[in-house]
Amino acid sequence: MFFSTLSKGKLIKIINELLEKCERLEKENERLKKQEEEHFESVNILNMITENASDLIAILDLKGNRLYNSASYNSIFSDKNKLFGTNSFREIHPEDQEKIKNVFAETVSTGIGQRAEFRFLLPDGSVRYIESVGDLIRNKFGQPEKVIVVSRDMTERKKIEQKLSDQEKKYRNLLESTKDSIFVVNRNLEIEYINKQLEETKGLPRDYVLGKHQNVLFPVESSEYEKFTKEIEETFRKGSENKFLSKNLLDNKDEWKDTRIVPVVNDEGSIESVMGIARNISNLVNDEKFLSDTKNKFRDLVEKNNGIIYCLNEFGIFDYVSPSTLNILGYSHTELIGMPISDIVHPDDLEKLETTLSKIRTGNESTFNGRFLKKSKDYIDMELSGQCSSNESDKEIYGIITNVSAQKEYNNLIKNYCQELEEINKNKDKFFSILAHDLKNPFNSILGFSEYLAKYANDLTHEQIKEYSLNMYQASKKVYQLIENLLSWSRLQSGKIEFEKTQINLKKLVDQIIHLSLIIADSKEIKLVSTIKEDLICTADENMISTVLRNLISNSLKFTGANGTIVISSEIRNNNIIISVTDTGVGISSSKLKTMFNADIQSTSDGTNHEKGTGLGLLICKELIERNGGDIWAVSKEGQGSKFTFSLPFNN
C-alpha cells in the first residue's frame, strides 16, 4: 500500500538511494575484509619474528604472570611451555627479585619502559646474566593491560668483561712489580702514569707527580733532557718506537738506562700518549770486556774440546762443527759444514736419530746413542746431546757429540759383572732358603723323638726305645741326604756341575717323603695318601724332584687343619707325567694365586698351627721343575683347599 501511494519518480529515487547504500556497504565490507587480512598477515609476521628472534620475548599480565614466551626461552629453560602461566619473578635470582619487582611496578604505574640487569637462577644451580627492557601494552581504551619484556642473555659478555678485568689487573700488577721504570705522558707532556719502581727511584709520591709536566721527573738542566724530549715528540709525530740511552736522566746514580719510547693508541687508532720503559743496563755495559774475554775462552774451549761441538739447521745440515772432529772422525770441520748429519750416521740408526732431533726441536730433552762413520769408513759409538735454539723461526739445534766407545765397553763389562753378582746373590738366598725350609721338618722329628726319650726313657720298653731310636736315625739320615742334595743344587746354581738325569721310580720317591713327613702329619691328625702307580718311571734329576715334592707336601701340611687329607696323585697327559698334591686346607686367595710364582712379589703366611715359612719354596720349585723341562701351576679357592701340579716329560 505504501509503494502504491508513491509516484513513479519518488519510487525510482528511493530505489537508487537503496542501491547506493548497498554499494557503500559492500565497499565497506571489502575494506574491513582487506584490513582483517592485513592484520592477520601482520600477526603472522610478528609471530614469526618473535619465534625466530635470538632475544627472549615475554608477555606478562600486570601481576608478572607469563602469558607468552618466545621460542628463544628454550635455549635457557629447555622447555618454554613449562613457564606458561607461572610468575616471571620465580626464575630470578633471590638477590635480584626485589629490584626487578620494583622496576616492574614502576613500568606499570608510569607507563614508561624500564631497563634492568638481573640474573636467572636455573634449576641446575647455574646462573645466567640477563639485560631486559619492558614496556606497557594498553587496551583500546588506553588502560594498562599487559607488559612486554624483551631480554638478552649477557652471560658470555659478562665472562668476557670479567676476563678483560682480570687481564687488566694482571697487566697492572706486572707493571707495578717490574724492576723497570715505566711512565706515560700525553701530548702536552703531562704525566698520566708512573709505576712503583719509578716512584721509588725518584722519591716522589705518585699523587704529587700525576697531571704535572714531565720536567717534575726529568730535570731540564740535564744535558740529555732536550734529546729525550725530541724522541718523545717524534714518537707522537711518526707513531714509531724509539730508543734512548741515558746515564743520569732518571736518577743521579751514574747508571746507564736503556729507555724504549712506544706509542699508546686509542680505539680510533690515534696516538693519545706515549709510554716510556727504562731498564738499568749498567751491568751489561760494564761487563762488555768480561763478555769479550768469555767469548775468547769459549772459542778456546770449543776448539780444544774432546767432543765435537756442532750446530744443525732445521734440515739437519751442519752449520758449524768444531775443529776437534778431525781427531775423532778424521774429517776437517770445513768438510762437515754443509753436510747432512745423516751422511755420517749408520743407516740402521737413522730412524732413532730423527726421533731424537724431533724431540729436541719441540723443547724436550733427548740424547742419541749410535754409530758414526769415520773418514776411514769405520764406525765409532758416539752420543749426541743438544737443545733447540730459542729462536722459533730457525729451529737450530746445537750441542755436543761425544765419543762413548770406551765408555760403552766399560759399561757392558760392568753390566755383565752386576748381572753375574745379582745371580750369585739370588742363588745364595735360594740356597739358604731351601736349607731353612727343608731341614725344618726332619729336625722337628729328631727333636720330638729325642725330647720324648729324654723325658720318658725310664717308662719305655726296650722295643719302644729301639723304635724311637730307629726313627731318629732315619730322620738324621734324611737330613744328611737333604744337605747333600742342597749342596749339589747350590753347585748346580753356581754353574759348577751339571744336573744328572736318572730313571726315577716316582712311587718310591713319594713314599720316602711321606714317611719323612708322618710325624708332622700325625701331630695334626692329617692323612697322607699316595695313589701313584708302582711302575711309574720318569727321567729327571732325582734330587731336584725330591726337593719339589718335599716343598709341596710340606706346604700342604702347613696349611691343612686337623683331620684333613693330602693326596699325591699322578696321570699321563699329552706325553707328560702330571703329579698333583691336593689338600683340604684353607685355600689361597685369587690375588695371591696370581703372584705366588713371581720372583718379584713374594709373601708368606702362617700355617694353621702358626708354622713359619720363607716365602721362597714355590719359587724354588718352579725353577727346579723348569730345569727338568716341565712346568708348575696351582688351582685353589679360599676355604676349599688347594691343588699344586707339576709336569715332567714322559719317557716310555
Side-chain angles (χ1 to χ4, degrees):
M1 291 295 295
F2 173 74
F3 291 108
S4 63
T5 60
L6 295 176
S7 65
K8 183 178 180 181
K10 286 185 177 182
L11 182 62
I12 292 172
K13 184 178 180 181
I14 291 171
I15 291 172
N16 287 335
E17 288 176 354
L18 289 173
L19 290 173
E20 287 177 1
K21 287 182 180 180
C22 287
E23 186 176 353
R24 285 198 299 272
L25 286 173
E26 185 176 352
K27 288 181 179 180
E28 180 66 18
N29 285 337
E30 288 179 357
R31 185 186 69 79
L32 291 174
K33 183 177 180 181
K34 185 176 181 181
Q35 185 176 0
E36 183 180 1
E37 289 175 351
E38 290 175 351
H39 175 72
F40 182 73
E41 184 178 357
S42 299
V43 169
N44 285 339
I45 292 172
L46 180 61
N47 285 336
M48 184 169 60
I49 291 173
T50 57
E51 287 302 304
N52 291 281
S54 59
D55 288 341
L56 309 171
I57 302 173
I59 298 177
L60 314 176
D61 64 17
L62 299 182
K63 293 183 179 180
N65 296 319
R66 294 184 180 275
L67 303 176
Y68 169 79
N69 300 297
S70 64
S72 53
Y73 268 89
N74 290 329
S75 64
I76 296 180
F77 295 99
S78 71
D79 187 359
K80 66 169 187 172
N81 295 325
K82 292 182 179 180
L83 299 176
F84 183 79
T86 62
N87 191 275
S88 60
F89 302 121
R90 187 184 65 177
E91 294 85 23
I92 297 175
H93 195 287
E95 295 177 1
D96 299 338
Q97 286 184 7
E98 189 64 30
K99 176 182 72 175
I100 299 304
K101 286 179 180 179
N102 292 336
V103 171
F104 185 83
E106 187 174 352
T107 299
V108 173
S109 62
T110 63
I112 301 173
Q114 303 292 321
R115 186 179 297 273
E117 289 187 9
F118 60 93
R119 292 165 293 174
F120 275 143
L121 181 61
L122 304 186
D124 62 2
S126 61
V127 172
R128 292 291 186 94
Y129 290 87
I130 303 297
E131 181 183 55
S132 68
V133 59
D135 207 353
L136 194 64
I137 299 175
R138 300 178 182 273
N139 59 19
K140 62 182 179 180
F141 304 110
Q143 298 171 333
E145 186 177 57
K146 301 171 186 173
V147 175
I148 183 169
V149 180
V150 180
S151 303
R152 181 166 293 176
D153 188 347
M154 308 301 292
T155 304
E156 290 303 317
R157 191 185 76 178
K158 285 287 185 181
K159 290 180 180 179
I160 293 172
E161 289 176 350
Q162 183 61 46
K163 188 175 181 180
L164 291 174
S165 175
D166 293 342
Q167 287 180 342
E168 182 182 356
K169 290 179 182 177
K170 181 175 70 174
Y171 292 136
R172 185 171 293 277
N173 290 336
L174 182 63
L175 293 176
E176 290 299 309
S177 61
T178 181
K179 294 298 182 182
D180 295 339
S181 296
I182 300 175
F183 62 90
V184 177
V185 295
N186 60 23
R187 288 186 174 273
N188 297 322
L189 302 183
E190 296 169 339
I191 300 169
E192 294 184 342
Y193 170 79
I194 64 170
N195 71 341
K196 182 179 179 182
Q197 177 64 31
L198 184 55
E199 184 181 17
E200 293 176 353
T201 299
K202 300 302 296 184
L204 295 173
R206 195 176 310 195
D207 293 340
Y208 171 76
V209 171
L210 296 181
K212 291 185 171 57
H213 195 273
Q214 67 175 17
N215 57 23
V216 174
L217 287 177
F218 313 116
V220 179
E221 62 272 13
S222 170
S223 59
E224 300 168 329
Y225 180 81
E226 184 178 353
K227 184 180 178 182
F228 173 67
T229 303
K230 287 182 178 179
E231 295 288 350
I232 293 177
E233 291 173 346
E234 184 178 356
T235 299
F236 272 117
R237 187 171 62 257
K238 295 183 177 180
S240 59
E241 178 180 325
N242 289 307
K243 282 191 175 184
F244 180 74
L245 187 64
S246 63
K247 194 168 186 181
N248 55 16
L249 182 65
L250 290 178
D251 52 44
N252 298 319
K253 296 181 180 180
D254 199 28
E255 293 180 339
W256 288 97
K257 298 289 177 67
D258 181 22
T259 303
R260 291 173 55 214
I261 301 173
V262 296
V264 179
V265 181
N266 60 21
D267 294 338
E268 287 76 29
S270 302
I271 301 173
E272 60 181 18
S273 56
V274 297
M275 175 184 290
I277 306 169
R279 177 168 294 179
N280 189 338
I281 60 169
S282 297
N283 292 336
L284 297 177
V285 175
N286 295 333
D287 290 346
E288 184 176 355
K289 184 177 182 303
F290 172 77
L291 293 175
S292 177
D293 293 341
T294 302
K295 182 179 180 181
N296 293 332
K297 291 178 182 178
F298 179 74
R299 182 181 294 109
D300 291 340
L301 177 65
V302 168
E303 293 178 355
K304 298 175 182 178
N305 195 287
N306 291 329
I308 301 172
I309 296 175
Y310 71 92
C311 178
L312 294 173
N313 65 19
E314 60 181 319
F315 303 108
I317 297 173
F318 285 112
D319 279 350
Y320 172 80
V321 184
S322 63
S324 56
T325 183
L326 182 63
N327 297 327
I328 298 174
L329 295 177
Y331 298 99
S332 67
H333 65 286
T334 55
E335 287 180 287
L336 289 182
I337 292 176
M339 179 188 294
I341 189 174
S342 57
D343 287 358
I344 59 170
V345 173
H346 194 286
D348 294 343
D349 297 338
L350 287 177
E351 184 177 351
K352 186 168 62 172
L353 171 68
E354 185 55 41
T355 300
T356 299
L357 296 180
S358 297
K359 288 182 179 179
I360 294 174
R361 287 191 185 100
T362 56
N364 296 309
E365 292 186 3
S366 185
T367 57
F368 164 71
N369 285 277
R371 293 160 288 180
F372 281 73
L373 180 67
K374 299 173 68 174
K375 195 171 183 179
S376 62
K377 303 303 179 184
D378 298 323
Y379 282 99
I380 180 173
D381 290 315
M382 303 197 75
E383 181 180 84
L384 176 146
S385 60
Q387 63 184 50
C388 188
S389 168
S390 58
N391 187 350
E392 294 185 359
S393 62
D394 55 35
K395 294 293 183 182
E396 284 188 335
I397 295 175
Y398 53 89
I400 187 168
I401 305 172
T402 310
N403 185 352
V404 294
S405 296
Q407 182 66 36
K408 188 174 181 181
E409 292 178 6
Y410 180 74
N411 288 343
N412 289 336
L413 186 62
I414 294 297
K415 183 178 179 181
N416 291 335
Y417 284 154
C418 289
Q419 288 175 347
E420 290 179 10
L421 183 60
E422 184 178 0
E423 190 64 28
I424 290 171
N425 284 333
K426 284 183 179 179
N427 293 337
K428 179 198 69 175
D429 293 340
K430 290 176 183 178
F431 172 79
F432 285 118
S433 173
I434 294 173
L435 191 63
H437 192 270
D438 288 351
L439 288 179
K440 187 174 182 181
N441 292 340
F443 272 115
N444 281 341
S445 299
I446 295 170
L447 290 172
F449 281 119
S450 60
E451 182 182 13
Y452 196 81
L453 284 173
K455 287 183 178 180
Y456 305 109
N458 294 331
D459 299 330
L460 298 174
T461 65
H462 178 74
E463 290 300 323
Q464 288 176 318
I465 293 174
K466 183 178 179 181
E467 180 185 352
Y468 290 160
S469 299
L470 179 60
N471 286 335
M472 290 172 60
Y473 167 74
Q474 290 175 342
S476 300
K477 186 177 179 181
K478 292 294 182 183
V479 169
Y480 177 78
Q481 292 174 346
L482 176 58
I483 292 174
E484 284 291 316
N485 293 339
L486 291 173
L487 290 173
S488 298
W489 182 83
S490 93
R491 289 196 297 272
L492 173 65
Q493 294 300 303
S494 60
K496 293 180 179 178
I497 62 171
E498 295 289 336
F499 70 91
E500 183 180 357
K501 285 189 176 183
T502 60
Q503 296 288 319
I504 305 172
N505 186 312
L506 288 173
K507 171 68 173 175
K508 289 182 180 180
L509 182 60
V510 170
D511 287 345
Q512 290 174 5
I513 296 170
I514 288 177
H515 183 74
L516 187 65
S517 307
L518 280 177
I519 294 176
I520 297 176
D522 291 342
S523 67
K524 296 181 72 172
E525 297 182 358
I526 296 173
K527 187 177 181 181
L528 280 170
V529 178
S530 170
T531 63
I532 296 179
K533 295 180 179 180
E534 294 282 352
D535 58 349
L536 185 59
I537 305 296
C538 74
T539 302
D541 186 293
E542 185 172 358
N543 294 332
M544 294 184 181
I545 303 306
S546 177
T547 299
V548 172
L549 286 168
R550 285 197 304 272
N551 272 284
L552 296 181
I553 293 173
S554 177
N555 279 347
S556 289
L557 287 169
K558 177 180 174 182
F559 294 106
T560 300
N563 299 313
T565 302
I566 300 172
V567 178
I568 302 93
S569 60
S570 64
E571 63 174 303
I572 306 297
R573 186 195 308 162
N574 297 329
N575 208 31
N576 283 303
I577 297 176
I578 309 298
I579 306 296
S580 298
V581 179
T582 308
D583 62 53
T584 58
V586 296
I588 305 167
S589 66
S590 58
S591 58
K592 283 189 176 181
L593 197 62
K594 292 177 182 178
T595 61
M596 62 188 346
F597 292 109
N598 191 333
D600 299 324
I601 307 173
Q602 286 297 308
S603 62
T604 181
S605 304
D606 289 349
T608 54
N609 281 356
H610 307 290
E611 301 97 327
K612 304 295 182 181
T614 63
L616 294 173
L618 291 176
L619 184 61
I620 295 166
C621 291
K622 181 177 185 292
E623 183 172 336
L624 293 178
I625 291 299
E626 289 176 352
R627 286 290 184 94
N628 283 272
D631 197 6
I632 187 169
W633 63 93
V635 292
S636 182
K637 193 170 183 181
E638 282 189 284
Q640 297 183 18
S642 304
K643 182 178 182 179
F644 284 82
T645 305
F646 64 87
S647 64
L648 292 171
F650 177 63
N651 296 315
N652 292 327

